[in-house]
């Protein structure tokens, strides 16, 4: 009984790792850009700033299965922090929210 429970738990943990978002390094992002899989970072930053003007203070590329998404943190003129998610393959802003 204990062996079955442990084996089940290990299987669940292994599957949850596969389903989790994976952060990609700048080198990996550049390689995906060069392969034409994602749009250039400058294009995606411009799209984010078009949606929420301000200054980008952080950017991070994540992979969720075959979807790539940049998460940008932007500080606006009123010193509010915003989190935007931009589909790295299409340039579409998929999420924008005030960061607490």
């Amino acid at each position: 009984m204990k062996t079955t429970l442990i084996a089940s738990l290990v299987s669940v943990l292994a599957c949850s790792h596969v389903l989790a978002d994976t952060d990609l390094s700048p080198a990996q992002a550049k390689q995906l850009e060069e392969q034409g899989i994602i749009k250039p970072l400058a294009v995606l930053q411009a799209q984010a700033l078009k949606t929420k003007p301000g200054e980008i203070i952080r950017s991070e590329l994540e992979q969720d299965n075959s979807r790539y998404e940049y998460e940008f943190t932007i500080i606006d003129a009123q010193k509010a922090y915003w989190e935007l998610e931009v589909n790295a393959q299409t340039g579409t802003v998929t999420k924008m929210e005030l960061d607490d």
Side-chain angles (χ1 to χ4, degrees):
M1 177 75 170
K2 286 183 181 180
T3 304
T4 305
L5 181 60
I6 291 171
S8 296
L9 184 58
V10 168
S11 294
V12 168
L13 290 174
C15 289
S16 67
H17 175 69
V18 171
L19 297 174
D21 289 346
T22 303
D23 293 340
L24 300 175
S25 71
Q28 290 170 309
K30 187 68 175 164
Q31 185 177 33
L32 290 167
E33 183 182 318
E34 289 171 354
Q35 293 171 348
I37 296 171
I38 64 173
K39 292 186 177 286
L41 177 58
V43 170
L44 299 169
Q45 288 174 325
Q47 184 62 34
L49 291 171
K50 180 178 173 186
T51 303
K52 176 47 73 179
E55 179 185 349
I56 295 174
I57 59 170
R58 186 183 68 78
S59 61
E60 182 176 281
L61 180 62
E62 295 179 346
Q63 179 183 9
D64 183 13
N65 294 322
S66 62
R67 190 182 79 223
Y68 296 93
E69 197 161 73
Y70 264 103
E71 184 177 289
F72 296 109
T73 301
I74 296 175
I75 185 169
D76 67 15
Q78 290 75 37
K79 305 295 183 207
Y81 291 84
W82 293 84
E83 182 180 297
L84 277 76
E85 291 181 2
V86 179
N87 182 307
Q89 294 158 300
T90 66
T92 303
V93 175
T94 59
K95 179 180 172 184
M96 180 176 78
E97 66 182 21
L98 191 58
D99 198 11
D100 296 331

